[in-house]
Amino acid sequence: MTDMQRDTTGSAVDRPAAGPSPAETARRHPPPPAPGRPGSYQTGGIRLALLVGSVVAVGVLFGWPLVVMILSVATSVFLHELGHYLTARWSGMQVTEFFIGAGPKIWSFRRGEVEYGVKLIPVLAYVRITGMSNLEEVDPADEPRSYRQQSFPRRLLVVSAGSLSHVVQAFVIGIVLFGVVGMPGGSLTDPRVDGFDVDDIVDGSAAEAAGFAVGDRIVAVDGRSVAGTERLSDALSTFDVGDEVAFTVERGGDEIVLEATLRGRPAGQGGDPGSPFLGVEAPPHTSAEPMGVGRAVVETPGEMWRTTTASLAGLGRAFSPSGLGDLADSVANATDEGHPTDDSSAGSPEARGGGSASGGRESELVSIIGVVHLGSQDTEHRAALMLAMLFQLNLVLGAVNMLPLPPLDGGHAALAVYERIRSRRGQRYHADFAKLLPLTYAVFLVLMVVGVTTMSLDIVNPIEL
């Protein structure tokens, strides 16, 4: 390799290589550990013990389901980075760090040239691979093992491995959820429900005026069955305020028909104020019978696809101008008291299209804090709820990470594809990552602002089932 690497246009993409300093050489080429010792510890175990003690304290104070969700999310992120780590090592790339968590270092040890450890924030992780872009200065001795010098298939494999790990995780979780534990309604996106049980009636509502009673089960609206995607909220959306609607209701083993004149949705009842509103609160009547492992293996891929497309559609709405406006409204109204539910949002996660609850909030965005909070709530089907949240989380993380935007994994994949297209036989093209820095900073800033905003919202105004 020459002292100065150039791209196909002839412009310099790396500064002239200078000899590494003694400190740099020691960092990149640490001495081997003494015989009988697996590695050299960088920090003691006291801080690690304090971190473990803090996790135990969270379990004692706030309940062990919360700890289970935190550790489950941390495991998911760890497996994402493990995918990068294993494929990078298999591809012959140099890996210098593998940490679980982010922020201040708690505990670490070095084995060979890799430092492994734990940092303070448990739901993050990272792997440091040498030479991820032309902007990084690399010791000439390590350049052949850098990411940027590897073949296109190997680079594409490494940057895609994290998202592939999420796909595998979601598949395994789906088999356990649908085949062993049982998902209420049988699906996250298209629950098989057989009615809507009335648990409460809003004072002064159309339901109260029509004579609805607690314990009724609404089975049809104007002759249309309330089942699957035709939930009560979907059926009501086809009418206008003031319309007289016939509801078929099961009461005491008999079917009766109640006529209700729909009224406008009061403010504070979720949804759009003034929209058609009946005024009943209840989860859909569902069962949680497991379908068996064999059938789950066949059914889970389809459920993964439907959940992914529905989740990405929800993210598209959330990041639209109106969606970001809803997020701003939710933040502005975060101190409002009470989070009432209504006939369109009450119930188990499958009634909300795959686990996205509203709890009176306008925004569809939920942070990691919200996911952990939702999954740890005390419900009749807690295990199913935890698994459903992790199932959807893995699919969303896997898909979002592959969007062709830096600094996401998909940005690195898109750059690798671009370099492959621009390369010619015998002459390899190296893109100048500096030209992508403005876009990288912009994407990072948007993710930071939205992430911090949703996390603060999930703390001040948490979503409740």
Side-chain angles (χ1 to χ4, degrees):
M1 178 178 144
T2 61
D3 285 343
M4 181 176 290
Q5 181 182 350
R6 296 179 178 272
D7 63 14
T8 53
T9 64
S11 61
V13 296
D14 273 339
R15 288 187 289 273
S21 65
E24 179 69 11
T25 302
R27 185 184 71 81
R28 295 186 178 278
H29 303 283
R37 294 178 57 196
S40 58
Y41 289 87
Q42 305 300 308
T43 58
I46 296 179
R47 281 181 282 182
L48 181 62
L50 290 175
L51 179 62
V52 173
S54 299
V55 173
V56 173
V58 170
V60 172
L61 294 175
F62 302 103
W64 292 106
L66 181 62
V67 174
V68 171
M69 281 299 299
I70 293 174
L71 294 179
S72 297
V73 173
T75 300
S76 177
V77 176
F78 163 73
L79 292 175
H80 173 108
E81 296 301 329
L82 183 64
H84 291 313
Y85 172 82
L86 292 177
T87 51
R89 295 296 296 267
W90 176 84
S91 300
M93 300 181 191
Q94 184 185 55
V95 179
T96 58
E97 294 182 12
F98 186 174
F99 273 83
I100 303 171
K105 186 188 301 182
I106 299 297
W107 175 81
S108 72
F109 69 94
R110 182 178 295 278
R111 178 169 295 177
E113 62 184 1
V114 186
E115 183 180 7
Y116 305 87
V118 177
K119 293 192 174 184
L120 182 61
I121 305 174
V123 292
L124 299 172
Y126 74 91
V127 169
R128 188 180 300 281
I129 303 172
T130 299
M132 289 296 294
S133 74
N134 67 294
L135 302 181
E136 181 180 344
E137 293 187 11
V138 178
D139 188 330
D142 296 329
E143 183 65 33
R145 300 172 58 204
S146 67
Y147 166 87
R148 63 197 181 203
Q149 294 300 330
Q150 306 308 308
S151 65
F152 168 71
R154 293 191 175 191
R155 283 180 291 151
L156 195 61
L157 172 64
V158 169
V159 297
S160 304
S163 290
L164 291 175
S165 77
H166 286 302
V167 174
V168 174
Q169 290 179 69
F171 181 69
V172 174
I173 293 171
I175 292 174
V176 176
L177 172 60
F178 303 114
V180 179
V181 175
M183 178 67 198
S187 171
L188 276 76
T189 55
D190 188 17
R192 293 175 285 278
V193 299
D194 56 7
F196 189 96
D197 291 336
V198 177
D199 283 353
D200 197 9
I201 299 172
V202 177
D203 293 337
S205 65
E208 184 181 56
F212 280 84
V214 173
D216 288 348
R217 178 182 297 170
I218 303 173
V219 296
V221 178
D222 259 9
R224 294 194 309 170
S225 175
V226 179
T229 56
E230 292 295 324
R231 298 188 295 275
L232 182 59
S233 58
D234 299 321
L236 293 179
S237 66
T238 63
F239 298 97
D240 296 321
V241 174
D243 287 350
E244 189 173 87
V245 182
F247 295 87
T248 304
V249 176
E250 289 184 359
R251 179 183 294 175
D254 298 324
E255 280 194 0
I256 61 174
V257 176
L258 298 177
E259 300 282 345
T261 301
L262 298 181
R263 301 180 181 181
R265 184 185 304 275
Q269 285 290 339
D272 297 326
S275 60
F277 182 68
L278 178 61
V280 292
E281 299 178 0
H285 180 73
T286 61
S287 62
E289 291 295 325
M291 63 177 62
V293 173
R295 183 181 170 193
V297 170
V298 177
E299 296 283 345
T300 296
E303 187 68 27
M304 291 170 63
W305 173 255
R306 291 189 294 271
T307 301
T308 301
T309 54
S311 299
L312 290 180
L315 285 174
R317 292 191 299 269
F319 278 93
S320 67
S322 61
L324 294 176
D326 289 340
L327 177 61
D329 290 340
S330 295
V331 174
N333 300 322
T335 56
D336 288 351
E337 294 183 1
H339 313 290
T341 55
D342 59 28
D343 47 285
S344 67
S345 64
S348 54
E350 69 276 9
R352 300 184 180 91
S356 58
S358 62
R361 279 168 46 169
E362 298 295 333
S363 175
E364 297 186 60
L365 290 174
V366 181
S367 70
I368 289 294
I369 293 176
V371 171
V372 171
H373 173 72
L374 277 171
S376 61
Q377 291 189 39
D378 187 9
T379 65
E380 180 183 357
H381 305 289
R382 172 177 279 172
L385 175 62
M386 287 183 173
L387 291 171
M389 296 301 297
L390 293 172
F391 179 78
Q392 186 177 24
L393 175 66
N394 274 285
L395 292 173
V396 170
L397 289 178
V400 170
N401 262 291
M402 290 310 295
L403 293 177
L405 296 171
L408 302 175
D409 292 340
H412 289 290
L415 191 62
V417 172
Y418 174 73
E419 290 179 335
R420 180 66 179 86
I421 294 173
R422 291 292 304 272
S423 296
R424 299 293 182 267
R425 180 171 299 180
Q427 188 174 17
R428 185 167 176 181
Y429 178 80
H430 291 275
D432 187 358
F433 196 80
K435 297 178 181 178
L436 293 176
L437 287 181
L439 177 60
T440 302
Y441 293 146
V443 173
F444 181 77
L445 181 61
V446 170
L447 293 177
M448 284 295 296
V449 171
V450 173
V452 171
T453 302
T454 53
M455 284 191 289
S456 63
L457 187 60
D458 285 328
I459 293 173
V460 176
N461 183 14
I463 295 178
E464 304 293 342
L465 293 178

